[in-house]
Amino acid sequence: MKTKSERYIQKIVNQTDCTKEEKEDMYEEMLVHLEMSQADLVKQGHSPKQAEKMAIDLFGDEWEIGSQIQQALFPYRKELMLTLSIVSILYTFSVYSLQLFQNGDAYIGWLLFSILTSALLLSLTLNLLVSINRKIWINTALVTHTLVYLYGWGVASDLDFTMFPLFSLIIAVILLLSVYLIYKTALVLPSYTGKSLRKAKRLHLFNITLGILIVAATIFYLYIFLIFSSELHPFMLLFSIPAILWVFLYILQIKLLKKHPKASTICTILQFVLVISIVLTLFNFY
């Protein structure tokens, strides 16, 4: 059973959007400081329970500390994510309402998916979900959000021509902000320092950019395929191979980076060659 000090530190750490390993490092470091403070108070004549309570009081309010650490790690990201969530929700309801008004029908599926991703981002931003690996969840939600609203750009094209430029501008802002937040979230790496930090940032920059290109190319060719075939075909599943391979090798590179940096670099080169080769093969075959 965890002590009061351990539960206190855990509440602080849970408010940060770090990976499991980063949270563990942060947890150990803060717990050591708290225990040292508690030991000093015991030496001054306080009982262990009194010393623990006093050390926690001196450390500060856990919610305020967690919020300060989060803001230091991800400056202005909370405000940007709130803006993204609210603008996205307003955009969705505006497009859906105008579709109903102009066409008498609308894309209910897109409405549900877009509201779901926006609501998930809002929940993560407001710390309503604290017991999960929030960094991974936030970037997953941002990637999904980007894809959903990329489709939403096409949905808005069905509106009256005079309205489309305005909605195109709004959706462009939503997409650019989503991509920016994906980079901003991935490139905060508190468990890395010095050369390893620079290598980790280069690895994430390369992989995120490659992933965006792969997904964009896949969506484009699937769209072209559907235009000419007008029906779903099992062959279309082959277009998911580059994305699956990219995800697998991305995770492998991260795992290898700290203990085997050279192997991680080789994996990066192999990933680029393999993914690009498969993409070109599939598209040439098509």
Side-chain angles (χ1 to χ4, degrees), residues 122-250:
L122 190 60
S123 299
L124 290 165
T125 305
L126 297 175
N127 274 350
L128 299 181
L129 302 170
V130 297
S131 59
I132 59 175
N133 193 330
R134 284 159 41 85
K135 188 172 186 178
I136 293 175
W137 272 92
I138 285 175
N139 258 358
T140 301
L142 284 168
V143 170
T144 306
H145 183 271
T146 303
L147 295 175
V148 169
Y149 278 86
L150 188 61
Y151 179 77
W153 201 333
V155 172
S157 64
D158 288 343
L159 298 175
D160 184 89
F161 180 75
T162 56
M163 299 295 296
F164 183 61
L166 173 62
F167 283 105
S168 292
L169 177 62
I170 296 172
I171 201 71
V173 171
I174 289 173
L175 293 174
L176 288 173
L177 187 53
S178 298
V179 172
Y180 171 74
L181 285 168
I182 290 170
Y183 279 101
K184 190 175 180 65
T185 301
L187 295 180
V188 174
L189 305 160
S191 61
Y192 292 89
T193 56
K195 290 184 178 179
S196 62
L197 176 61
R198 289 194 291 273
K199 288 181 179 178
K201 284 190 173 184
R202 285 198 296 267
L203 185 149
H204 284 289
L205 275 170
F206 169 78
N207 274 282
I208 292 171
T209 305
L210 181 62
I212 290 171
L213 293 175
I214 290 169
V215 171
T218 302
I219 291 174
F220 173 75
Y221 279 97
L222 282 174
Y223 177 72
I224 298 297
F225 187 90
L226 285 172
I227 288 176
F228 287 102
S229 68
S230 70
E231 62 180 10
L232 297 176
H233 193 278
F235 174 77
M236 295 170 65
L237 294 173
L238 293 176
F239 286 100
S240 65
I241 292 176
I244 293 171
L245 185 62
W246 165 71
V247 170
F248 173 76
L249 291 174
Y250 188 4

Side-chain angles (χ1 to χ4, degrees), residues 3-267:
T3 64
K4 185 177 180 181
S5 295
E6 290 171 336
R7 293 195 300 272
Y8 168 79
I9 297 298
Q10 192 64 58
K11 287 180 181 179
I12 295 174
V13 170
N14 281 344
Q15 294 181 71
T16 63
D17 296 342
C18 299
T19 62
K20 182 181 177 181
E21 292 77 14
E22 291 166 349
K23 285 184 177 182
E24 287 174 354
D25 292 341
M26 196 183 302
Y27 175 88
E28 292 296 332
E29 186 176 345
M30 285 194 287
L31 187 60
V32 167
H33 284 293
L34 189 61
E35 288 175 345
M36 288 173 62
S37 177
Q38 184 178 339
D40 288 338
L41 290 167
V42 170
K43 289 179 182 178
Q44 294 174 21
H46 299 283
S47 68
K49 283 190 176 181
Q50 287 178 327
E52 184 179 43
K53 185 179 183 304
M54 291 175 68
I56 289 172
D57 290 340
L58 288 170
F59 216 78
D61 179 73
E62 62 264 36
W63 300 110
E64 185 178 344
I65 295 171
S67 177
Q68 289 173 353
I69 293 173
Q70 174 73 357
Q71 186 66 15
L73 290 171
F74 303 93
Y76 306 111
R77 201 194 61 173
K78 182 177 181 179
E79 293 79 3
L80 290 174
M81 286 189 63
L82 281 173
T83 302
L84 175 63
S85 303
I86 293 169
V87 171
S88 298
I89 291 171
L90 292 175
Y91 174 88
T92 298
F93 280 117
S94 298
V95 171
Y96 186 78
S97 300
L98 283 170
Q99 276 188 325
L100 285 176
F101 178 75
Q102 292 181 5
N103 306 328
D105 193 13
Y107 294 89
I108 185 67
W110 174 75
L111 171 73
L112 294 175
F113 275 111
S114 55
I115 292 297
L116 182 62
T117 58
S118 300
L120 178 58
L121 284 176
L122 190 60
S123 299
L124 290 165
T125 305
L126 297 175
N127 274 350
L128 299 181
L129 302 170
V130 297
S131 59
I132 59 175
N133 193 330
R134 284 159 41 85
K135 188 172 186 178
I136 293 175
W137 272 92
I138 285 175
N139 258 358
T140 301
L142 284 168
V143 170
T144 306
H145 183 271
T146 303
L147 295 175
V148 169
Y149 278 86
L150 188 61
Y151 179 77
W153 201 333
V155 172
S157 64
D158 288 343
L159 298 175
D160 184 89
F161 180 75
T162 56
M163 299 295 296
F164 183 61
L166 173 62
F167 283 105
S168 292
L169 177 62
I170 296 172
I171 201 71
V173 171
I174 289 173
L175 293 174
L176 288 173
L177 187 53
S178 298
V179 172
Y180 171 74
L181 285 168
I182 290 170
Y183 279 101
K184 190 175 180 65
T185 301
L187 295 180
V188 174
L189 305 160
S191 61
Y192 292 89
T193 56
K195 290 184 178 179
S196 62
L197 176 61
R198 289 194 291 273
K199 288 181 179 178
K201 284 190 173 184
R202 285 198 296 267
L203 185 149
H204 284 289
L205 275 170
F206 169 78
N207 274 282
I208 292 171
T209 305
L210 181 62
I212 290 171
L213 293 175
I214 290 169
V215 171
T218 302
I219 291 174
F220 173 75
Y221 279 97
L222 282 174
Y223 177 72
I224 298 297
F225 187 90
L226 285 172
I227 288 176
F228 287 102
S229 68
S230 70
E231 62 180 10
L232 297 176
H233 193 278
F235 174 77
M236 295 170 65
L237 294 173
L238 293 176
F239 286 100
S240 65
I241 292 176
I244 293 171
L245 185 62
W246 165 71
V247 170
F248 173 76
L249 291 174
Y250 188 4
I251 294 171
L252 183 59
Q253 289 168 59
I254 295 170
K255 296 290 184 183
L256 292 171
L257 184 60
K258 278 191 175 180
K259 294 184 179 179
H260 308 285
K262 289 184 179 179
S264 180
T265 302
I266 293 171
C267 187

